[in-house]
Amino acid sequence: MSARVVAILGPTAVGKTSLGIRLGQHFQGEVINADSRYLYRGFSIGVAKPSLAEREGVPHHLIDILDPSDEMSLALYQERANQVIRSVLAREKLPLLVGGTPLYANAVIEGWSIPNVPPDPAFRASLQQRVDRGELPTLIADLTSIDPQSAQRAAGNPRRVIRALEIYSHTGKTMTELQGKTPPAFETLQLGLWMPRDRLVEAIDRRVDKQIASGLVDEVRSLIRSGVDPNCPAFSSIGYRQLLPYLSNETPLSDAIDRIKYDTHRYVRHQETWLKKIKSLIRIDVTASNWQDRCIDLVERFLSEKGE
């Protein structure tokens, strides 16, 4: 039988973590994280990271592997994820790629060839200064004019916009031109979790309220007091930077909470746009009473198929 991987994809707050644990228990699987927000130590409540208790029953990989100031390039994530997948397969366990970061998931599933362009700190600093001056829309327009696909994938994320411009500046070629695809050495069943937009918005808002009640403000305050720079990569996670104005007495907590919800709703639209483009995705309606059982049935059939 050929090597097989199950990918659990979907927008924020749709139930990916719980399904990953359920399938891991049922099929002796191991979860490989595909969510950029789970990489950083100390950032837990605001990213809805699976608890240590949840991770005890099912092994989880690529969680809490970076300090807040560390960067994770797409190429390095792809390399690490593929290493873990090979290791899990070698132990005759089922790899479960779980997460909602489009670039991470696609890079692994589609076998992207990622440009090997070393970081240029001076170039990045100069563009970051422009971002700080409010010129991000201009940079996005510049990127759109030379590489519209990369501009769309960046989804307004300053670091991704800067990286795409950096690659073009150093190679004369766009990230899209350089990102070819090499079929991975495994087959993938892609499960796309879904719920109606109004239900998803409600789920997001409930989760944000629960995070605040569970101590998110204290978590952010503790990170800052411990010396974590609010400008570091980890603080780009939704749920953290939005609380900084409140902690600086610039805005009431209610406004900060509303901003977390608004930014999450906007990010979810980006995730849903990405998911709609995946032709092989099997959509799973998580509002159905037996949706996890349906996923189990689909995985069982996938694993029982004869390889090519």
Side-chain angles (χ1 to χ4, degrees), residues 5 13 71 86 107 141 172 181 192 195 213 229 242 260 284:
V5 174
E71 296 261 8
R86 289 193 294 268
K181 295 179 182 179
M195 70 169 64
D229 184 350
Q242 293 84 357
I260 294 173
I284 306 295

Side-chain angles (χ1 to χ4, degrees), residues 172-233:
K173 294 184 178 181
T174 67
M175 181 180 286
T176 300
E177 288 180 282
L178 295 173
Q179 282 182 332
K181 295 179 182 179
T182 303
F186 49 80
E187 297 178 52
T188 305
L189 173 69
Q190 299 182 59
L191 304 177
L193 307 193
W194 174 89
M195 70 169 64
R197 172 63 64 80
D198 58 339
R199 297 277 296 272
L200 183 58
V201 167
E202 291 173 1
I204 289 168
D205 292 351
R206 284 196 304 271
R207 188 171 80 165
V208 172
D209 291 337
K210 182 179 179 181
Q211 289 169 332
I212 294 295
S214 298
L216 177 56
V217 174
D218 286 338
E219 180 176 84
V220 177
R221 186 181 287 116
S222 177
L223 288 166
I224 294 172
R225 286 176 175 171
S226 68
V228 177
D229 184 350
N231 294 313
C232 73

Side-chain angles (χ1 to χ4, degrees), residues 5 52 82 96 103 108-109 183 193-194 243 250 254:
V5 174
L52 293 177
N82 282 328
L96 299 161
L103 288 176
V108 175
I109 294 169
L193 307 193
W194 174 89
L243 285 170
E250 298 172 18
S254 59

Side-chain angles (χ1 to χ4, degrees), residues 15 21 30 35 43 132 136 148 161 166 176 198 208 238 272 287:
I21 292 171
E30 301 188 19
D35 192 317
F43 289 69
D132 295 341
L136 178 59
V161 171
E166 178 183 44
T176 300
D198 58 339
V208 172
I238 296 175
E272 290 178 331
T287 64

Side-chain angles (χ1 to χ4, degrees), residues 1-285:
M1 182 178 71
S2 60
R4 298 205 169 133
V5 174
V6 173
I8 302 172
L9 312 174
T12 297
V14 78
K16 299 183 296 295
T17 297
S18 65
L19 179 63
I21 292 171
R22 175 81 184 276
L23 295 183
Q25 293 169 337
H26 191 91
F27 293 100
Q28 290 190 318
E30 301 188 19
V31 171
I32 298 97
N33 166 49
D35 192 317
S36 62
R37 304 170 305 164
Y38 288 3
L39 299 172
Y40 293 100
R41 289 182 283 269
F43 289 69
S44 298
I45 298 173
V47 301
K49 190 179 292 179
S51 67
L52 293 177
E54 289 175 315
R55 292 182 241 168
E56 282 181 359
V58 175
H60 282 62
H61 305 274
L62 303 185
I63 293 180
D64 292 336
I65 61 171
L66 298 179
D67 288 329
S69 60
D70 291 339
E71 296 261 8
M72 172 62 83
S73 70
L74 183 60
L76 180 56
Y77 171 78
Q78 182 194 50
E79 178 184 345
R80 295 284 297 270
N82 282 328
Q83 287 175 347
V84 174
I85 288 172
R86 289 193 294 268
S87 176
V88 173
L89 289 170
R91 294 194 296 275
E92 299 185 349
K93 305 295 184 181
L94 176 64
L96 299 161
L97 186 69
V98 182
T101 299
L103 288 176
Y104 283 11
N106 283 346
V108 175
I109 294 169
E110 298 180 358
W112 288 2
S113 298
I114 300 170
N116 184 19
V117 178
D120 181 338
F123 181 90
R124 291 185 175 188
S126 66
L127 265 62
Q128 184 60 53
Q129 288 175 357
R130 294 182 61 185
V131 171
D132 295 341
R133 292 196 300 266
E135 297 182 34
L136 178 59
T138 302
L139 295 179
I140 294 173
D142 290 344
L143 179 58
T144 300
S145 68
I146 60 174
D147 189 359
Q149 288 180 274
S150 288
Q152 183 181 32
R153 287 196 298 265
N157 183 305
R159 289 186 295 120
R160 292 174 183 167
V161 171
I162 290 171
R163 176 58 175 166
L165 290 170
E166 178 183 44
I167 287 172
Y168 182 75
S169 173
H170 286 65
T171 67
K173 294 184 178 181
T174 67
M175 181 180 286
T176 300
E177 288 180 282
L178 295 173
Q179 282 182 332
K181 295 179 182 179
T182 303
F186 49 80
E187 297 178 52
T188 305
L189 173 69
Q190 299 182 59
L191 304 177
L193 307 193
W194 174 89
M195 70 169 64
R197 172 63 64 80
D198 58 339
R199 297 277 296 272
L200 183 58
V201 167
E202 291 173 1
I204 289 168
D205 292 351
R206 284 196 304 271
R207 188 171 80 165
V208 172
D209 291 337
K210 182 179 179 181
Q211 289 169 332
I212 294 295
S214 298
L216 177 56
V217 174
D218 286 338
E219 180 176 84
V220 177
R221 186 181 287 116
S222 177
L223 288 166
I224 294 172
R225 286 176 175 171
S226 68
V228 177
D229 184 350
N231 294 313
C232 73
F235 256 107
S236 66
S237 300
I238 296 175
Y240 290 85
R241 64 177 184 270
Q242 293 84 357
L243 285 170
L244 295 177
Y246 165 69
L247 294 174
S248 300
N249 297 316
E250 298 172 18
T251 187
L253 179 59
S254 59
D255 286 358
I257 293 172
D258 287 344
R259 189 70 204 187
I260 294 173
K261 293 176 180 178
Y262 174 82
D263 286 349
T264 306
H265 300 161
R266 185 174 59 180
Y267 180 59
V268 160
R269 289 194 291 272
H270 163 60
Q271 291 174 308
E272 290 178 331
T273 298
W274 155 61
L275 291 165
K276 289 176 182 177
K277 296 178 181 178
I278 304 176
K279 304 302 182 184
S280 56
L281 193 71
I282 299 175
R283 191 168 83 165
I284 306 295
D285 185 351

